[in-house]
Amino acid sequence: MGAGQSTDYSGASPEELSYMLAERFATKCFSPLELTHFKDNFFSRAAEQGGLRYWNEKTLSDFLGIPDGSFSGADEAPLDAGPVLFRMVSYLGAFPFQNTLAPSVLTFEAMVKVVVLLTERYGKVLRRGRKDRIKLLFGSLADVGRKDIGQPSNQDSENKESESEENPELCPAKSYAPGFSVDEPANDEYDEDEDDDLALAALESLDAIEVFKHDHRVDRTVYETRISVDTFRRLLMLLLVIAPLKPLEPVKMYTSDLDLERIDAIRKEADSIIAVFRPEESDGGITYRAFARTISTSLPYLFDPLTALFEHMLFSKNLNLSQRRPSEAASEEETHEKSEEASMAKPILLPGSFESSILNQTILSHLSFFLPSKVQSTNLFKSGVRLHPIFSTAAHGSSLTSFSHNVLTWQSANLLILQGAPDGNSEETVTIGVYLPQSWKSSSTHGSSSSSDLLPCLFQLSPKHQVLPGNPSPSVQKQANLPAAWFSTHTGIAIGCQIPPASRSHHTPPIPYGAGSLTIDVNLETAEFRVEPVGHDGVFLPPGTSSMEDASVKTRLDLYSLEIWGIVPDPELAASSEANANAVEVQRAKWEFEAREAERRRNINLKSGAGDSAKESARWLLETAGIIGDHGQYSGGST
C-alpha cells in the first residue's frame, strides 16, 4: 500500500476511496510489527489472478482453523460456520461502500478493514464505533429475501441484488440483499443519520461525503432484510465453542474434540439464545430492530470471540526473528513467550468441595456473552476471573443451615445458578441464575457498605435467554427492605423481593416486587421465577427485549440442583479490595473458626438440668458464632 496522501478526494471513485481508507486504517490501527506479520500471513497464502492477490473461502477457513463442516457419524454438519464467516468478511471488506462494492473480493486492503472492524481497533479512526458496529454486523449476516413494505417495487432493484461474475471464486454468491436495509416500520425509533455516522466519520477527513451519499442513494425504507435462523445458529454455535479463545491459541484446541453429545448441547444453547430475538414474529428471520436491541441490552459480549479469532492475522509463524536486530528479536521473543504463557488455557472453575452438575464449557460460554465484569467492557473470559465452589445441594444437602454456613463466609461477588423442571414437564430443563456483586450478609450488617459499582442481574439461560438488569436507581438501592438477595431458615431464599418487617411471633414470606424475582422454598426443593414486562421500582428492571404487550410469566420449578460460586478476580487485571483478592483465604479462615467454635460447643451445657439463664446465654453464643439458629430474623445480600 502506498504511503502518499492527497488532500482532495472529491473526484475519487468508491473503489479509490475504499483503498485510501484501508491505507489509513493500516497506518493508524496497527503497529509496524503487526502490519509486517499481517502482510506475511496474507501474501504467503494469497491466490493470484490477473495480478490481483486475494483470499478465497477455503484459505480463510484454513487459516482461522474453522471446521469444514464434516463430522463422522453426524446427520448434519456440526459447525458449518465457514461460509457464514466468509460472507461476513466479504461484506465488511467493502466498508463503507456496502451498497456499491459488497460483496468484496478479499484483497489485502479489504482484509485490513475486516480485521480493524472485527478486532475493535477502530478507536483511532472511527467515532461511536462499538454502537455502530452492530449495524455492520447485522448487514454482514442478513440473508433473508427483501420484502416490499409499502412502496412500489422497482424491477431494476432485482438486477442490483446480484451481478454476474466471471470468476465465482473471486466473488462469493450474493445470497443476501445488498447493503443492510433495515426493518423500518413507520415509528421504529430508527435514526437514519445515526446509521450513516460510522461511515461518515471514516470519510469526512477524505472529503468524500458526496460519494458516500451517492452510494447510499437507495431508500432504506423500501426493503426489510432479516438474518435467517439457520445462518445465525451456525455462527452462534461457533461463538459458543471458541468463546474462551485467546489471540494466540489455536482454534482447534476448542473445535477438535466435539462429540455428538457436546454438539447437541451446543445446538440447544444456541437455540435458547436465538429465542430471545423472537424470529417467530418476523416470518422466521431476525430483524434489525430485534438484533440491535437484544445485542445492546442482553448480549453485549456476543461477538467478542471474533476479536481473538481475527487477532491471529497479526502474528505469523513464518517470520524468522533471528534475522532481526538482536534488541528487536529479543523484545519480540519475550512478548511472544508472555503471550503464549497468557494464552495457556486455564480452567475457570477452581477445585473445591464439589464439581458442578450445572456449569460446563457451553454454559460458561453463554455466561460470557453477558455476565458483567469488574474490568470495564470485558467479558468473563477476558477478565481472567475464576469461579470458586461455595455451596451445592448435591454436595452439601438441601439445608438452609448448611447454605448459611457456606455462603455467609464468602466475602466477595458470587453467582447463584440452578436447574429444574417446570411443573408437569419433566422433559424440559430450565436454567436460571443471579449475579450478585456483593457478598451475602447477616441481619446485623444488612445494608452493605461495599463500594462495588456493578449491579446485580437476574437471568435465564434456557429454554430462552433473557437478562433482567439491576436497577441503578439510588432510591431503590438505599431501601433496606429491597435487598438483591435474602434468606431465612423460616421462609427460604428470595431474590428481588420486598422483605416484610421483622416479627417475633410471625414469619411473613418475602413479597415478589418489581420486574423480576426468584424465590426458593426452605427445603431448596421448589422455586418460582417471575418476569414482568413493566416495573421500574424494584431491584431488577424488565428485560431489554420485553415490550408492553408481553404477558407476565411465572415459572414454578422442581429443583434438580442449586449451586453458589464465588467470583475470584484476576489480581493482574482487576483492581479489587483486600477482601476480594483474598476471598478464598478469608472463607477458609472463617470455616476453621466455625469448626473451633463447634468444638467448644461440646463444653457448653445445654442439658435440661441447666438453668434457663445459662441455656439462653449458651444459645446466644452459638447464634452469634453462626453455628445454630436463624442468624436473626433474616439474612441476605444488599444491593
Side-chain angles (χ1 to χ4, degrees):
M1 298 173 64
Q5 295 288 339
S6 173
T7 58
D8 183 11
Y9 301 133
S10 57
S13 67
E15 290 83 357
E16 292 169 329
L17 286 169
S18 181
Y19 179 92
M20 296 168 188
L21 185 62
E23 183 179 31
R24 179 157 298 185
F25 275 28
T27 56
K28 290 188 175 293
C29 300
F30 302 128
S31 69
L33 184 58
E34 288 174 332
L35 196 53
T36 299
H37 281 264
F38 194 165
K39 289 180 177 179
D40 183 76
N41 277 327
F42 181 85
F43 289 109
S44 64
R45 295 167 174 82
E48 182 175 357
Q49 180 174 332
L52 184 67
R53 306 289 297 277
Y54 66 94
W55 276 20
N56 56 29
E57 180 182 328
K58 185 177 187 307
T59 303
L60 180 71
S61 295
D62 288 348
F63 175 79
L64 295 177
I66 305 302
D68 61 5
S70 61
F71 186 72
S72 177
D75 293 332
E76 53 183 300
L79 287 177
D80 191 20
V84 177
L85 277 182
F86 186 63
R87 185 171 54 200
M88 288 179 70
V89 300
S90 298
Y91 179 93
L92 297 174
F95 174 80
F97 299 104
Q98 293 84 245
N99 285 324
T100 299
L101 302 180
S104 169
V105 178
L106 295 187
T107 62
F108 177 70
E109 289 74 24
M111 286 300 293
V112 164
K113 290 186 285 184
V114 167
V115 174
V116 167
L117 293 171
L118 290 182
T119 62
E120 302 181 271
R121 291 170 174 262
Y122 39 67
K124 293 183 179 180
V125 292
L126 305 177
R127 65 172 180 259
R128 292 179 43 176
R130 188 171 182 88
K131 176 180 178 182
D132 292 314
R133 181 174 180 250
I134 293 176
K135 299 181 177 72
L136 288 173
L137 291 171
F138 176 83
S140 70
L141 289 166
D143 60 358
V144 175
R146 303 179 302 175
K147 180 180 178 182
D148 189 354
I149 59 171
Q151 297 189 20
S153 61
N154 186 342
Q155 197 120 30
D156 293 338
S157 65
E158 296 181 1
N159 298 327
K160 295 176 182 177
E161 185 173 354
S162 78
E163 299 176 0
S164 61
E165 293 287 344
E166 295 182 0
N167 187 349
E169 187 183 44
L170 280 177
C171 187
K174 297 188 179 183
S175 58
Y176 58 98
F180 64 105
S181 306
V182 297
D183 176 22
E184 180 69 7
N187 297 300
D188 199 18
E189 303 175 0
Y190 177 74
D191 189 340
E192 189 166 330
D193 292 335
E194 286 188 3
D195 183 54
D196 292 347
D197 216 31
L198 182 65
L200 293 179
L203 293 172
E204 60 186 3
S205 62
L206 297 181
D207 193 23
I209 302 303
E210 290 304 317
V211 179
F212 170 75
K213 288 181 179 179
H214 177 70
D215 180 73
H216 282 60
R217 62 190 176 278
V218 179
D219 186 359
R220 291 179 182 80
T221 62
V222 176
Y223 304 110
E224 67 176 22
T225 59
R226 303 183 302 280
I227 302 172
S228 75
V229 169
D230 177 67
T231 294
F232 202 45
R233 181 186 291 111
R234 286 192 286 169
L235 179 64
L236 281 176
M237 291 179 68
L238 176 67
L239 296 177
L240 285 165
V241 170
I242 67 170
L245 181 71
K246 295 181 174 60
L248 291 183
E249 283 182 336
V251 177
K252 291 184 178 180
M253 284 180 57
Y254 302 97
T255 61
S256 59
D257 297 322
L258 299 177
D259 56 24
L260 282 170
E261 183 178 357
R262 176 83 192 283
I263 288 294
D264 184 58
I266 294 169
R267 184 178 290 109
K268 287 181 179 178
E269 208 71 25
D271 286 340
S272 295
I273 295 174
I274 289 172
V276 75
F277 291 88
R278 304 186 180 194
E280 71 280 356
E281 296 180 0
S282 56
D283 300 326
I286 298 170
T287 65
Y288 171 74
R289 184 181 186 184
F291 183 83
R293 180 176 59 181
T294 304
I295 297 299
S296 299
T297 62
S298 300
L299 294 161
Y301 310 127
L302 178 63
F303 294 102
D304 279 15
L306 295 180
T307 297
L309 183 63
F310 280 86
E311 286 277 354
H312 284 70
M313 293 292 302
L314 304 179
F315 176 79
S316 172
K317 297 179 180 179
N318 298 332
L319 295 184
N320 187 351
L321 304 183
S322 63
Q323 293 179 354
R324 305 180 66 84
R325 287 182 296 181
S327 60
E328 292 181 352
S331 175
E332 187 172 349
E333 286 178 343
E334 182 180 356
T335 301
H336 178 46
E337 289 175 0
K338 289 182 178 179
S339 298
E340 283 189 323
E341 181 180 352
S343 71
M344 293 294 290
K346 298 177 182 178
I348 192 171
L349 301 181
L350 295 173
S353 58
F354 65 89
E355 293 186 0
S356 181
S357 61
I358 301 176
L359 297 179
N360 53 43
Q361 188 58 62
T362 304
I363 290 182
L364 288 171
S365 294
H366 189 165
L367 290 171
S368 75
F369 294 157
F370 69 92
L371 201 65
S373 165
K374 278 189 172 293
V375 184
Q376 189 176 12
S377 299
T378 302
N379 67 32
L380 184 68
F381 292 115
K382 285 186 178 179
S383 66
V385 301
R386 299 290 181 265
L387 300 181
H388 176 67
I390 297 177
F391 173 80
S392 165
T393 52
H396 301 107
S398 300
S399 163
L400 277 179
T401 301
S402 177
F403 177 91
S404 64
H405 165 71
N406 289 276
V407 173
L408 285 182
T409 52
W410 181 258
Q411 300 298 303
S412 182
N414 57 94
L415 178 71
L416 180 152
I417 192 160
L418 61 84
Q419 280 187 338
D423 284 346
N425 188 0
S426 59
E427 295 182 358
E428 182 179 57
T429 299
V430 177
T431 306
I432 296 170
V434 59
Y435 165 78
L436 299 170
Q438 301 172 7
S439 57
W440 295 72
K441 300 294 182 181
S442 65
S443 58
S444 61
T445 55
H446 192 273
S448 170
S449 60
S450 171
S451 60
S452 173
D453 56 354
L454 296 178
L455 295 171
C457 73
L458 182 63
F459 57 86
Q460 177 177 294
L461 299 183
S462 65
K464 176 183 177 180
H465 170 93
Q466 55 183 333
V467 176
L468 289 79
N471 193 338
S473 171
S475 61
V476 171
Q477 297 182 48
K478 290 178 181 179
Q479 294 186 48
N481 67 334
L482 285 178
W486 178 96
F487 81 95
S488 162
T489 54
H490 292 293
T491 57
I493 297 173
I495 308 293
C497 292
Q498 188 177 64
I499 310 305
S503 171
R504 290 182 176 272
S505 59
H506 182 66
H507 300 288
T508 305
I511 304 169
Y513 193 78
S517 65
L518 174 67
T519 56
I520 305 170
D521 74 317
V522 293
N523 297 316
L524 305 184
E525 293 177 347
T526 62
E528 184 175 274
F529 179 54
R530 181 185 62 91
V531 179
E532 303 283 351
V534 295
H536 289 74
D537 54 352
V539 175
F540 300 104
L541 298 175
T545 55
S546 65
S547 64
M548 295 290 291
E549 293 76 23
D550 291 343
S552 301
V553 178
K554 292 183 181 180
T555 306
R556 185 172 176 82
L557 303 173
D558 294 326
L559 292 187
Y560 295 152
S561 182
L562 181 149
E563 298 174 358
I564 306 286
W565 291 83
I567 298 176
V568 183
D570 185 335
E572 295 182 0
L573 298 178
S576 45
S577 66
E578 182 178 352
N580 276 342
N582 300 287
V584 177
E585 289 76 10
V586 170
Q587 186 193 43
R588 288 173 179 167
K590 290 198 172 187
W591 280 348
E592 291 173 359
F593 168 77
E594 291 191 1
R596 291 193 299 269
E597 289 300 312
E599 183 68 24
R600 292 178 54 189
R601 177 180 178 178
R602 299 177 182 178
N603 300 323
I604 298 176
N605 186 4
L606 288 179
K607 296 181 180 179
S608 58
D612 291 341
S613 176
K615 285 192 287 187
E616 286 299 320
S617 298
R619 177 166 292 279
W620 176 86
L621 176 61
L622 294 175
E623 288 180 350
T624 302
I627 297 172
I628 65 170
D630 193 25
H631 304 287
Q633 169 62 20
Y634 56 79
S635 305
S638 75
T639 58

